[in-house]
Amino acid sequence: MTTPRPQAGGDPTVIFAILRSPAFREIALAVGAASALTAAWLLILPHAATSGGDTIHYLALAENPRAQVHTPYTYRMLTPLLAHELGGPERYREAFRLVNALAVAASGVAAHLLTRRLGGTRGAAYLAMAGLLSLPGFLFYLHQPYLIDPAAMALLAWSMLAALAGWTAVLPLLLVAAALARETVISFALPIYMIFRTRWIDVPAAARTALVIVPGVLATTAVQAKPTHGWPTQELLVRAGVRIVGMKLEQQGVVDALGIAVGTSLGIWWALGLYGFRHAGRLGWLMIPVLLQFVVGGDWGRFCLYAFPALVPAGAIALWRHPRRAVLIGLVVVQSLLIFLDLSIDGRPKINQYQPSTYVSLALIPLTLLVLLWPSRRRAPRPEAGQGLPAVPRPSTGAERAAEPR
């Protein structure tokens, strides 16, 4: 008796089982919700008629990927290349908008799935998604879409999700894309190692980290080999960044610089995320490479946004389990509507400078901490049963397979 061979194309019953699974339905609903919210903001926000600063370099690359522009902009090829391939040399601006809108929505989906992976309920996950996608700092990239940060942030979040979920086959591909989006992929090694490790010094975890991160490092090296204008070496580029930071602090002062960075980035989620930081688990190590960027660059407001994969899910989980959840949700709603204050007074969102929403965001932070820390006689609600996405089964080792009953 011969064993029937599987049909070409796979078993359709397996495909139907995947489509009917609760995990697939939840991901599909998250994608739909993030896409709908992003589309709504695109309709509400004004579109930037002109562009300047860093966008000049990225638009030049989108028009002609072989163009020689200044470092480090020339290293960040992913978004300009996608815009060029989708829109060609004539409609690359429209393609740039599409790529960044999709990246913003993808960041929202990642925030949802990270919240579930860390143990949050569906309500907390949707709150994390909606809160992130309604921040003035994030909405700036829908108003001014000719930058590379949305794709870089989305790939960072999805890389951390892949590491947490054990998607080791997908993780190197995500890191290669992240390296082409922004050259800081080598800094992902620390949080990935901390997620993989079973003890502080873990040689197998270090080897796994190297295997997944090396393709991204090689991609960065290959891109940096192209002819460029500006600083020809990484050492000179870092020195220039340090000088820029010194000039920034001399002009603004430490208090103003930090105030702008905190207020224009995650706002209230700084208070929520740091209060619930324990819920981030090992993902919290992501904060170290995020904060190290402050030493080598002056765009602190943008850099702070890269902390969202750790802070926003942790803050949403802490908020959802807090006895004053209703009050905290109200504060998040206020934060999420601040963009209308900017639109009514200034007409457009901005980043890395004070704007009306920045002052309100900075005021919301101590108010949120007061609500979080004020003593309460009520006990915090217990976590709901069945919360979090199902864990991905860990592949068994050779010794474990030999010990299994046959």
Side-chain angles (χ1 to χ4, degrees):
M1 183 176 179
T2 59
T3 304
R5 295 181 179 179
Q7 298 179 356
D11 187 355
T13 59
V14 175
I15 299 175
F16 291 144
I18 293 174
L19 294 177
R20 290 195 298 265
S21 66
F24 179 84
R25 288 199 299 269
E26 179 164 354
I27 293 173
L29 288 173
V31 171
S35 301
L37 186 55
T38 302
W41 283 121
L42 280 172
L43 293 174
I44 293 171
L45 294 172
H47 292 169
T50 59
S51 59
D54 296 356
T55 65
I56 296 175
H57 306 288
Y58 300 132
L59 287 172
L61 288 172
E63 184 178 11
N64 177 15
R66 296 183 180 180
Q68 293 187 17
V69 301
H70 284 274
T71 55
Y73 313 108
T74 189
Y75 304 151
R76 303 162 183 175
M77 285 294 302
L78 181 66
T79 305
L81 183 60
L82 289 174
H84 178 82
E85 293 299 324
L86 293 173
E90 296 180 355
R91 302 187 64 86
Y92 61 90
R93 287 176 178 265
E94 291 84 349
F96 225 122
R97 290 185 181 277
L98 174 63
V99 171
N100 273 349
L102 292 175
V104 168
S107 295
V109 177
H112 177 105
L113 297 179
L114 282 168
T115 305
R116 296 287 279 151
R117 178 63 56 183
L118 294 173
T121 63
R122 288 187 180 89
Y126 280 111
L127 181 68
M129 173 198 293
L132 177 69
L133 296 185
S134 300
L135 284 170
F138 247 74
L139 295 177
F140 168 80
Y141 293 106
L142 296 179
H143 162 72
Q144 175 57 277
Y146 308 125
L147 295 166
I148 54 85
D149 296 290
M153 288 187 290
L155 288 165
L156 166 62
W158 280 92
S159 297
M160 295 302 105
L161 177 62
L164 285 172
W167 302 340
T168 51
V170 180
L171 183 55
L173 299 176
L174 288 170
L175 291 173
V176 169
L180 297 177
R182 196 162 178 258
E183 70 281 0
T184 53
V185 69
I186 186 63
S187 65
F188 296 5
L190 174 62
I192 290 174
Y193 170 76
M194 297 306 296
I195 291 171
F196 284 169
R197 71 172 180 85
T198 57
R199 52 187 177 275
W200 283 103
I201 301 176
D202 190 332
V203 176
R208 284 181 66 196
T209 303
L211 285 174
V212 299
I213 202 79
V214 162
V217 175
L218 292 177
T220 301
T221 305
V223 172
Q224 292 180 355
K226 63 181 292 190
T228 60
H229 295 302
W231 299 279
T233 65
Q234 284 289 337
E235 181 183 357
L236 292 176
L237 186 60
V238 169
R239 288 182 179 179
V242 172
R243 286 197 300 270
I244 291 173
V245 173
M247 293 170 57
K248 176 188 181 74
L249 295 179
E250 184 178 352
Q251 294 172 359
Q252 295 182 338
V254 176
V255 175
D256 270 355
L258 288 176
I260 293 172
V262 171
T264 61
S265 57
L266 301 180
I268 192 177
W269 291 99
W270 283 103
L272 293 168
L274 293 176
Y275 173 81
F277 196 65
R278 66 187 184 280
H279 297 298
R282 296 181 179 184
L283 188 58
W285 288 94
L286 177 64
M287 295 300 297
I288 292 180
V290 168
L291 295 177
L292 282 177
Q293 297 177 96
F294 280 43
V295 181
V296 295
D299 291 339
W300 289 4
R302 291 185 195 174
F303 298 162
C304 284
L305 286 172
Y306 285 82
F308 88 82
L311 290 185
V312 173
I317 295 171
L319 180 156
W320 209 259
R321 297 179 181 181
H322 199 274
R324 298 191 182 92
R325 180 170 67 186
V327 178
L328 293 169
I329 290 177
L331 293 174
V332 170
V333 170
V334 173
Q335 172 74 76
S336 301
L337 297 177
L338 288 182
I339 189 65
F340 292 106
L341 182 62
D342 292 338
L343 296 178
S344 63
I345 296 177
D346 200 21
R348 60 190 178 94
K350 298 177 183 177
I351 200 168
N352 282 331
Q353 56 184 295
Y354 277 115
Q355 53 188 337
S357 64
T358 308
Y359 297 101
V360 181
S361 292
L362 291 174
L364 286 175
I365 292 174
L367 180 59
T368 303
L369 288 174
L370 181 64
V371 175
L372 288 168
L373 300 175
W374 191 266
S376 175
R377 296 181 181 179
R378 292 175 55 192
R379 293 182 178 179
R382 294 181 178 178
E384 299 177 15
Q387 64 184 10
L389 289 174
V392 175
R394 177 180 59 84
S396 58
T397 63
E400 291 172 341
R401 286 195 297 268
E404 291 177 355
R406 297 176 181 267

